[in-house]
Amino acid sequence: MYTIRLQTGFQYDCKGRTWHDIPHGPVRVDVRVVTPWLAPIVWNGTFSTDILNAQYNEKTLPIGLTTFAMKKYIVFLKTFIETAEKFFMVGHKVNYYVFTDRINEVPQFTLGNGRQLMILLLPAYKRWQDVSMRRMEIIRDYSQQRFIHEVDHLVCVDVDMKFTDDVGMEIIGDLVGTLHPGFFKSSREEYPYERRALSEAYIPYHEGDYYYAGGNFGGKVQEVIKLTNHCHHAVLADKANNIEARWHDESYINKYFLHHKPTKVLSPEYIWLYYYGDPPIVQKKRFVEVPKNRAWIRY
Ligand code: 4GW
Ligand code: MN
């Protein structure tokens, strides 16, 4: 007989054992922990950090974490890196790849063992939509030329964020998407997909699995190359028709994931926005948006 305490994320039976000791017991019954194509959905309480870390081979390459800090967004970099040092892949090797046009404004960081910061210079694009969308092209190019030789796995994230709880090996997979915090309870008709049939990002109302966030995706370098290449070409095709998808790169990522299902899906714990409140079902908010003054950031 189980006494289930959902708040903790770990299940206890009447003898106080955790689910590690009762492997056939329920894990989470308040959220789906597997997609219809049998990919895990990573929620707190569904994995053991100890077991995952024990599987990690010391000889494997660092994890690559890419982000863009263009123009005024350079102000977000300090908190981003400092909190990543505390919570992102602790005890593992990490290569931070930071794209910026403001090299002079990159602060000094003291990094842990096996962790390196690579600053990559980019020209500044005029339109902010291009800053966001050109990420696809740039991640593709740098992956092909450089990242593929330095890391096995890439995690590609927004910079206007901070880590507030552990993010570790549980996020590693071949192709990884993250559920958008605003739509993980919505039905597919409510997802803000691109609905104009003219766009490459078009998804009709009767299709779609989840609404994924543009601010956290990843996978094996080879998979990230395929994703970013596909999205970049979709952006270009739309541009030629004078069309830009509703939520920019996020819309194209959602279209990609419809036809190339992620092998692992991260819960909104991995990209939380407090704009959507503080629901207890999202037991840990691990990677959260830093509120920004839109008027100040806009140019
Ligand atoms: C409006 O004026 C802007 S500027 C919208 C995005 C801008 C921007 C975005 C920028 O000037 N510099 C920059 O590096 N970015 C990168 O794109 C940065 O990594 C940021 O986290 C990512 C996505 O933009 P965002 O965070 O503003 O998008 P949302 O609000 O959807 O998270
Ligand atoms: Mn953002």
Side-chain angles (χ1 to χ4, degrees):
M1 194 174 66
Y2 294 113
T3 314
I4 297 167
R5 284 206 278 148
L6 293 170
Q7 284 79 0
T8 63
F10 293 95
Q11 315 297 322
Y12 295 91
D13 69 357
C14 50
K15 296 187 183 114
R17 296 178 298 186
T18 74
W19 67 266
H20 296 280
D21 309 310
I22 44 165
H24 301 290
V27 177
R28 288 280 298 261
V29 292
D30 53 342
V31 287
R32 265 195 88 124
V33 299
V34 65
T35 69
W37 56 96
L38 299 178
I41 309 176
V42 183
W43 289 93
N44 186 47
T46 63
F47 60 89
S48 158
T49 302
D50 292 343
I51 295 174
L52 291 171
N53 281 343
Q55 283 187 334
Y56 179 81
N57 179 350
E58 286 295 316
K59 289 194 206 77
T60 54
L61 295 169
I63 307 293
L65 182 64
T66 73
T67 199
F68 288 72
M70 303 292 289
K71 306 196 199 192
K72 289 181 176 178
Y73 276 54
I74 191 73
V75 300
F76 294 110
L77 189 61
K78 189 170 193 288
T79 303
F80 177 89
I81 299 284
E82 284 176 356
T83 58
E85 282 295 292
K86 277 197 200 128
F87 294 113
F88 182 77
M89 299 288 167
V90 174
H92 300 292
K93 289 174 283 184
V94 173
N95 280 4
Y96 296 104
Y97 297 112
V98 175
F99 295 97
T100 186
D101 56 330
R102 297 198 181 177
I103 290 203
N104 297 336
E105 292 172 48
V106 174
Q108 285 289 321
F109 297 103
T110 325
L111 301 181
N113 253 346
R115 303 171 76 101
Q116 285 181 278
L117 177 59
M118 263 66 95
I119 303 294
L120 307 167
L121 179 66
L122 287 183
Y125 305 111
K126 269 214 187 77
R127 293 174 67 243
W128 67 263
Q129 291 92 338
D130 288 335
V131 172
S132 194
M133 290 193 303
R134 291 294 282 277
R135 290 190 288 181
M136 292 296 156
E137 181 185 17
I138 290 157
I139 292 171
R140 179 198 64 182
D141 292 348
Y142 275 80
S143 293
Q144 286 172 333
Q145 289 156 24
R146 176 167 180 179
F147 302 157
I148 191 110
H149 305 296
E150 300 181 354
V151 299
D152 291 322
H153 190 97
L154 284 172
V155 181
C156 307
V157 298
D158 272 13
V159 77
D160 57 338
M161 305 288 296
K162 61 183 173 191
F163 292 88
T164 48
D165 213 320
D166 294 325
V167 173
M169 298 308 288
E170 74 277 6
I171 70 164
I172 299 305
D174 284 3
L175 180 62
V176 184
T178 308
L179 301 182
H180 191 292
F183 302 94
F184 69 101
K185 289 180 177 168
S186 308
S187 58
R188 66 154 63 97
E189 307 80 49
E190 296 169 325
Y191 296 157
Y193 291 148
E194 173 56 63
R195 301 300 189 180
R196 290 168 295 179
L198 227 60
S199 170
E200 292 287 328
Y202 171 60
I203 301 179
Y205 284 97
H206 62 276
E207 281 188 73
D209 308 302
Y210 299 109
Y211 190 73
Y212 302 94
N216 189 352
F217 65 88
K220 285 204 159 123
V221 181
Q222 208 48 260
E223 290 297 329
V224 171
I225 291 172
K226 283 194 240 165
L227 180 153
T228 50
N229 184 51
H230 184 106
C231 290
H232 176 56
H233 281 293
V235 168
L236 291 184
D238 273 3
K239 243 194 181 95
N241 290 324
N242 224 345
I243 193 166
E244 190 165 86
R246 183 167 174 195
W247 290 108
H248 318 115
D249 38 325
E250 186 168 86
S251 303
Y252 298 99
I253 290 170
N254 271 279
K255 182 66 180 280
Y256 185 81
F257 281 151
L258 174 60
H259 297 297
H260 309 80
K261 309 278 194 225
T263 61
K264 185 175 268 186
V265 174
L266 306 182
S267 71
E269 293 166 19
Y270 294 88
I271 185 154
W272 192 254
L273 276 68
Y274 279 102
Y275 169 81
Y276 297 109
D278 192 356
I281 204 166
V282 183
Q283 296 172 352
K284 290 194 169 184
K285 279 90 181 170
R286 303 169 189 271
F287 185 50
V288 308
E289 194 182 48
V290 175
K292 53 185 178 278
N293 180 342
R294 291 266 170 196
W296 180 82
I297 232 79
R298 211 156 277 273
Y299 44 79

